[in-house]
Amino acid sequence: MPTRSASEVIDQDRRQLLSTAAMGIAAAGVASLFPAYPAPAATGEEIRPFRINVPEEALVDLLRRINATRWPDRETVADESQGVQLAAMQEIARYWGTDYDWRKVEAKLNALPQFVTTIDGLDIHFLHVRSKHESALPLIVTHGWPGSIIEQLKIIDPLTNPTAHGASASDAFHLVIPSIPGYGFSARPTTTGWGPDRTARAWVVLMKRLGYQRFVAQGGDLGAVISHAMARQAPPELLGIHVNFPATIPPDIAKALAAGDPPPSNLAADEKRAYEQLKILFAKKRAYAAFMATRPQTLYGIADSPVGLAAWLLDHGDGYGQPAAAIMSAVLGRTINGHPADGLTRDDVLDDITLYWLTNTAVSAARFYWENKVGVNNAADISIPAAVSVFPGENYQAPRSWTERAYHKLIYFNEVDKGGHYAAWEQPQLFSEEVRAGLRPLRKSI
């Protein structure tokens, strides 16, 4: 009788694991969201099924708090320059407190294979959706702030089942979508040290624990920061990365920006455009990030007030410009400052905000900024294969010249014509096409 290869053994074991997990999810006693203070984490390497079960009293309390909001005076300007406008927040609160239904997204999440495993003493929650195509490429996708795994729900089927979305079976991925420590259903760290580097190492442990000996990584926003950390660590299992939040600012450009200098005279047109975008970003749009990076514990208000939390997550210091326009137009259901409600819905955004509220992770998520010690826009200095997609609604449009200097083995670069900072959420089909194209050159490595 012929012997089986190691990969065949791994695949059979993984299928057995998923079959067992599926039965476990249906059984009583699996891990769940509540109680709010769960039992101590397991100490082994087991992968435990996870199911969300928000008590009704938690939802009743949320509605009570929304409807009991003490509102400030109206802003003293006619635009959004002082922050999210009173009328907009009251409109959002009215819908959230009367018509919104959390149970819909809870059911959607519970229909997916969810698990928890303990890594470096911390419970890590993740979705693990395998493609029916056994030759699929394993991919770990990381969300950002103010996002969660909800950002990635729309890309699961296009990436795991590409033949249903106009692509080839050879473009399929096995998907792992974890919650960053302190976000959503992952545990909230109780000690310092859980920043991008430690999280990146945990992601490698997670993928290997699932039986993947070769894999790729993808991320936007903080997900890109973590993917960059993985790439710099360059574990042998990581074949390459794809990011839609590229870090490309050359050192000389970063120095000029920090000094407030005008753009250098030798910049090409796309480099000058990026310079001007970055000047605005650093001057007007980073206050929230600076606060979370220095004083996250002071944000008690967003742990106590749902409306306060929503305003904080919605406002990126750019009013109704990019990148916040996509989520503002969605929650208000109308075109904002020329940006239509396209791709995202009001419920999409409230699903994400409600997840932060129910898991009480507003402050623990903010602490990730405090833990990060890397300039997220400065040149990534990546030496493993990397693919980059530039979306027009991003903070800045990374020039190809800067990108080639930051990613020393750039295997793909493309500027797309729509979508923004929340690319997977806003434009899931286009985003999926970019991920497929960007990582296609690495498939021959598995």
Side-chain angles (χ1 to χ4, degrees):
M1 185 174 72
T3 59
R4 294 179 298 162
S5 68
S7 62
E8 289 173 327
V9 172
I10 290 170
D11 280 344
Q12 180 175 348
D13 290 346
R14 192 183 298 118
R15 286 193 293 271
Q16 184 176 356
L17 164 67
L18 292 176
S19 175
T20 304
M23 291 185 289
I25 286 175
V30 297
S32 64
L33 170 60
F34 288 90
Y37 302 97
T43 57
E45 297 183 357
E46 65 266 33
I47 295 170
R48 293 111 61 194
F50 183 90
R51 185 176 179 84
I52 305 163
N53 182 24
V54 175
E56 188 63 27
E57 55 264 32
L59 299 177
V60 170
D61 179 64
L62 170 61
L63 298 183
R64 178 188 65 78
R65 289 171 179 263
I66 293 171
N67 293 319
T69 299
R70 185 173 72 168
W71 296 99
D73 295 336
R74 181 188 178 278
E75 59 278 359
T76 57
V77 294
D79 57 22
E80 73 288 348
S81 59
Q82 292 183 352
V84 184
Q85 292 168 294
L86 177 64
M89 282 311 305
Q90 288 179 328
E91 184 176 342
I92 293 165
R94 182 209 58 77
Y95 178 82
W96 198 13
T98 56
D99 299 331
Y100 172 75
D101 183 3
W102 161 261
R103 297 298 185 193
K104 291 181 179 179
V105 71
E106 183 179 281
K108 188 183 299 184
L109 288 166
N110 282 335
L112 295 166
Q114 296 182 83
F115 305 92
V116 171
T117 192
T118 305
I119 300 176
D120 199 8
L122 199 73
D123 275 358
I124 300 297
H125 166 264
F126 61 98
L127 303 176
H128 183 198
V129 184
R130 281 183 55 82
S131 173
K132 64 182 179 182
H133 305 291
E134 285 299 318
S135 61
L137 177 62
L139 169 64
I140 184 165
V141 181
T142 311
H143 65 82
W145 184 96
S148 64
I149 58 168
I150 287 172
E151 279 187 87
Q152 275 77 44
L153 294 183
K154 297 177 184 179
I155 64 171
I156 291 175
D157 200 61
L159 291 179
T160 60
N161 188 22
T163 54
H165 298 269
S168 168
S170 62
D171 284 323
F173 293 94
H174 298 311
L175 278 187
V176 178
I177 305 175
S179 298
I180 295 173
Y183 285 69
F185 303 115
S186 282
R188 303 187 292 270
T190 58
T191 59
T192 60
W194 276 101
D197 288 338
R198 191 172 181 181
T199 303
R201 291 190 292 270
W203 278 191
V204 176
V205 172
L206 174 59
M207 293 300 280
K208 292 170 68 176
R209 190 171 293 178
L210 291 171
Y212 297 126
Q213 299 304 312
R214 294 286 187 275
F215 58 86
V216 289
Q218 199 288 325
D221 193 80
L222 288 182
V225 178
I226 293 168
S227 297
H228 289 145
M230 293 175 71
R232 281 190 289 269
Q233 293 166 7
E237 298 84 3
L238 182 63
L239 300 175
I241 65 171
H242 174 275
V243 293
N244 55 287
F245 183 67
T248 69
I249 305 175
D252 56 326
I253 299 298
K255 184 177 179 180
L257 285 163
D261 294 341
S265 59
N266 61 343
L267 295 185
D270 59 343
E271 295 172 336
K272 184 176 181 181
R273 177 189 64 182
Y275 192 95
E276 296 295 348
Q277 291 171 328
L278 288 163
K279 279 184 64 176
I280 296 172
L281 172 67
F282 295 143
K284 298 183 178 181
K285 300 184 180 183
R286 298 291 294 167
Y288 74 93
F291 196 95
M292 292 194 295
T294 55
R295 308 292 291 174
Q297 191 63 30
T298 299
L299 294 169
Y300 294 94
I302 65 175
D304 185 62
S305 166
V307 169
L309 172 65
W312 185 258
L313 298 184
L314 289 170
D315 187 11
H316 287 69
D318 57 359
Y320 294 159
Q322 295 283 20
I327 56 176
M328 286 302 299
S329 62
V331 292
L332 296 177
R334 59 179 183 270
T335 297
I336 298 294
N337 199 25
H339 302 288
D342 179 27
L344 281 174
T345 69
R346 177 161 44 190
D347 279 5
D348 286 336
V349 180
L350 287 175
D351 289 342
D352 182 67
I353 295 171
T354 306
L355 176 61
Y356 274 79
W357 175 262
L358 294 172
T359 55
N360 192 21
T361 50
V363 172
S364 57
R367 286 197 200 105
F368 200 88
Y369 280 68
W370 187 90
E371 294 283 358
N372 177 46
K373 310 304 179 186
V374 177
V376 300
N377 296 290
N378 291 343
D381 192 22
I382 301 300
S383 296
I384 71 168
V388 170
S389 296
V390 177
F391 286 81
E394 191 48 87
N395 287 314
Y396 78 106
Q397 276 69 65
R400 181 171 192 132
S401 57
W402 294 2
T403 306
E404 290 173 342
R405 291 168 62 182
Y407 302 86
H408 311 310
K409 291 183 180 178
L410 188 67
I411 59 173
Y412 180 85
F413 178 87
N414 190 38
E415 296 179 329
V416 297
D417 60 359
K418 60 182 177 179
H421 188 72
Y422 311 98
W425 217 10
E426 298 173 52
Q427 300 292 336
Q429 182 66 27
L430 177 58
F431 175 87
S432 299
E433 291 168 2
E434 284 296 298
V435 173
R436 293 189 203 113
L439 296 174
R440 193 171 291 136
L442 299 177
R443 289 183 178 274
K444 61 180 180 294
S445 301
I446 62 171

